[in-house]
């Protein structure tokens, strides 16, 4: 029976798929039908790089990759490479000095009116360029238990109107756990907006089950979900169903991308990403320059190229399909806008 959401998957099915996510570089390469020679070439570096920051990718994302193509834009985002081991000047472990901006364990209060809660350290996918790849999650580990400290801080800061659940990935929590957190947040009278930053609808669309949709829809605040897709190939049929379902439940849907060399640093990919998102009710929000985190230098696109790509997008797309090109700077009062023509 097709449930009334029109979603072809069951509540909770995602948890099995998350548990079955690929964690071994060799397995990923075999699934993608790489030749034994290619595997021998890629594997040693992949294994070494994975020691620092393990590989993790769910099947739903692998299914969108082109078999045997080492340059596949989705594979590049998740496959550990030897290039990660190179030291690069200016690339550091905590580029945003986030550890200094902690108002309470796991709570970042850097920008006016908004606080960001690192709800859980867990992610369904490990993106090689992640700026939190060296985040001291172990120290913040008790955070699930210490939500109370974050809630205590929020309660005495009436200037905070928006709570942003981020991570890790807040949707790697179960609906039950997320529901508990939302219930606690509802006791804070000055909160006016709820936002979730999540990559799960893209890498594991089955996460968007009817219980989650109903949980979000019954919150008293306007809910915004900011997903994270970088390339139009990330929007397969299941991803489209999940995104459109969130939209149907009244959620404002936005996307943020990171500009990544060898993944989406061409006008065509960026324009197709915007139009494909729009088809399922998602508007582009931010296009981030890479945060200069150790191990990610090979993804960097220089600012002039970024501005030029932005200009070309602005020529080809309606204004509402052009994301804001931004960079994050430690200590700034908000994202720094790079182009505004
Ligand atoms: C990006 C970010 C936000 C949200 O910024 P918006 O411009 O409102 O999307 C809030 N807090 C932190 C720490 C952030 O990094
Ligand atoms: S989903 Fe987001 S937080 Fe998790 S690894 Fe990817 S970029 Fe980092």
């Amino acid at each position: 029976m097709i449930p009334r959401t029109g979603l072809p998957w069951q509540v909770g099915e995602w948890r099995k798929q998350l548990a079955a996510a690929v964690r071994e570089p060799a397995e990923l390469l075999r699934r993608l039908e790489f030749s034994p020679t290619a595997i021998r070439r890629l594997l040693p570096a992949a294994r070494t790089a994975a020691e620092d920051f393990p590989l993790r990718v769910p099947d739903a994302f692998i299914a969108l990759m082109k078999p045997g193509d080492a340059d596949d834009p989705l594979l590049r985002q998740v496959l550990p490479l030897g290039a990660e081991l190179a030291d690069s000047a200016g690339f550091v472990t905590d580029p945003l000095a986030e550890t200094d901006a902690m108002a309470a364990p796991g709570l970042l209060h850097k920008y006016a009116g908004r606080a960001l809660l690192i709800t859980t350290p867990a992610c369904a996918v490990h993106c090689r360029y992640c700026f939190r790849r060296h985040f001291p999650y172990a120290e913040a580990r008790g955070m699930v238990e210490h939500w109370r400290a974050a809630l205590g801080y929020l309660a005495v800061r009436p200037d905070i109107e928006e709570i942003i659940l981020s991570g890790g990935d807040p949707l790697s929590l179960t609906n039950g756990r997320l529901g508990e957190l939302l219930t606690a947040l509802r006791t804070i009278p000055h909160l006016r907006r709820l936002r979730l930053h999540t990559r799960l609808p893209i890498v594991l669309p089955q996460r968007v089950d009817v219980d989650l949709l109903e949980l979000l829809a019954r919150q008293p605040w306007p809910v915004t979900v900011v997903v994270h897709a970088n390339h139009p190939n990330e929007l397969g049929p299941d991803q489209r169903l999940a995104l459109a379902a969130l939209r149907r439940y009244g959620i404002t849907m936005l996307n943020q991308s990171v500009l990544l060399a060898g993944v989406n640093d061409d006008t065509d990919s960026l324009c197709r990403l915007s139009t494909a998102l729009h088809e399922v009710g998602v508007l582009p929000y931010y296009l981030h320059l890479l945060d200069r985190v150790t191990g990610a230098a090979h993804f960097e696109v220089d600012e002039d190229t970024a501005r030029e790509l932005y200009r070309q997008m602005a020529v080809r797309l309606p204004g509402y399909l052009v994301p804001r090109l931004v960079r994050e700077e430690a200590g700034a009062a908000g994202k720094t806008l790079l182009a505004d023509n």
Side-chain angles (χ1 to χ4, degrees), residues 91 259-261 265 270 287-292 297 299-312 325-329 335-341:
F91 283 73
L259 185 58
L260 298 165
D265 57 339
L270 292 169
L287 176 59
H288 295 266
L289 287 199
L290 182 76
D291 294 314
R292 306 189 90 202
F299 284 116
E300 190 168 54
V301 175
D302 67 69
E303 277 190 22
D304 287 346
T305 309
R307 283 204 182 83
E308 183 51 32
L309 286 167
Y310 176 88
R311 271 192 290 273
Q312 290 171 16
L325 180 66
V326 291
R327 185 182 51 214
E328 211 165 322
E329 281 167 7
K335 317 279 185 231
T336 306
L337 205 54
L338 255 111
D340 47 15
N341 74 314

Side-chain angles (χ1 to χ4, degrees), residues 2 12 19 28 39 45 53 69 73 119 125 129-130 136 144 171 173 189 240 246 251 270 303 311 316 329:
I2 301 211
L28 175 61
I39 293 180
F53 182 51
D69 182 3
T119 317
V125 67
Y129 53 84
C130 181
V144 177
L171 291 187
L173 299 173
R240 289 170 187 253
L246 286 159
I251 294 162
L270 292 169
E303 277 190 22
R311 271 192 290 273
R316 281 174 46 179
E329 281 167 7

Side-chain angles (χ1 to χ4, degrees), residues 96 98 101 107-112 114-117 131-132 162 164 195 197 226 256 285-286 288 324 328 333-335:
L96 307 181
E98 282 198 323
L107 188 75
L108 299 168
H109 183 197
K110 284 191 353 191
Y111 301 162
R114 295 148 284 173
L116 184 150
L117 181 65
F131 70 100
R132 294 210 178 104
E162 177 167 359
I164 303 171
R195 190 188 329 175
H197 283 178
V226 183
Q256 52 183 343
Y285 182 37
Y286 282 140
H288 295 266
R324 295 170 185 76
E328 211 165 322
K335 317 279 185 231

Side-chain angles (χ1 to χ4, degrees), residues 242-280:
L243 296 169
L246 286 159
R247 185 78 197 95
R248 274 202 308 283
Y249 271 70
I251 294 162
T252 299
M253 296 298 297
L254 302 173
N255 179 63
Q256 52 183 343
S257 309
V258 181
L259 185 58
L260 298 165
V263 173
N264 60 5
D265 57 339
D266 63 280
T267 316
D268 191 53
S269 297
L270 292 169
C271 289
R272 285 192 298 119
L273 175 62
S274 274
T275 52
L277 286 163
H278 178 245
E279 280 167 14
V280 286

Side-chain angles (χ1 to χ4, degrees), residues 53 121-133 137 166-169 198-199 228 258:
F53 182 51
C123 280
V125 67
H126 286 173
C127 311
R128 306 315 299 178
Y129 53 84
C130 181
F131 70 100
R132 294 210 178 104
R133 55 179 290 165
Y137 281 126
S166 184
D169 198 310
T198 174
R199 206 172 187 202
H228 171 181
V258 181

Side-chain angles (χ1 to χ4, degrees), residues 15-211:
R15 295 179 69 181
K16 279 187 224 117
Q17 291 161 5
L18 180 61
V22 171
R23 291 150 201 267
E24 262 296 314
E27 187 186 347
L28 175 61
L29 295 171
R30 271 198 304 273
R31 292 246 192 137
L32 291 168
E33 299 166 27
F34 278 90
S35 70
T37 324
I39 293 180
R40 271 196 300 278
R41 182 171 54 81
L42 292 164
L43 203 52
R47 284 206 167 122
T48 313
E51 281 168 18
D52 266 358
F53 182 51
L55 167 80
R56 185 185 246 217
V57 54
D59 270 341
F61 200 63
I62 301 174
L64 302 173
M65 298 174 187
K66 186 167 158 232
D69 182 3
D71 295 328
D72 180 89
L74 277 57
L75 179 63
R76 274 186 69 82
Q77 296 177 52
V78 300
L79 181 68
L81 293 178
E84 294 176 29
L85 306 169
D87 247 337
S88 295
F91 283 73
V92 296
T93 53
D94 181 12
L96 307 181
E98 282 198 323
T99 2
D100 301 339
M102 290 267 182
L107 188 75
L108 299 168
H109 183 197
K110 284 191 353 191
Y111 301 162
R114 295 148 284 173
L116 184 150
L117 181 65
I118 300 183
T119 317
T120 161
C123 280
V125 67
H126 286 173
C127 311
R128 306 315 299 178
Y129 53 84
C130 181
F131 70 100
R132 294 210 178 104
R133 55 179 290 165
H134 305 281
F135 188 82
Y137 281 126
E139 283 164 39
R141 184 140 209 114
M143 64 182 56
V144 177
E145 281 66 44
H146 290 133
W147 284 349
R148 198 172 301 139
L151 290 159
Y153 178 86
L154 293 172
V156 298
R157 293 299 303 248
D159 53 311
I160 299 177
E161 296 197 332
E162 177 167 359
I163 180 71
I164 303 171
L165 305 185
S166 184
D169 198 310
L171 291 187
S172 54
L173 299 173
T174 61
N175 293 329
R177 208 80 179 95
L178 184 63
E180 283 168 30
L181 177 59
L182 295 176
T183 301
L185 288 168
R186 284 201 301 274
T187 64
I188 299 172
H190 48 268
L191 288 184
R192 300 243 171 290
R193 298 184 294 277
L194 169 69
R195 190 188 329 175
L196 280 87
H197 283 178
T198 174
R199 206 172 187 202
L200 265 153
I202 304 297
V203 298
L204 185 49
Q206 292 78 6
R207 176 65 189 92
V208 180
D209 60 23
V210 62
D211 283 7

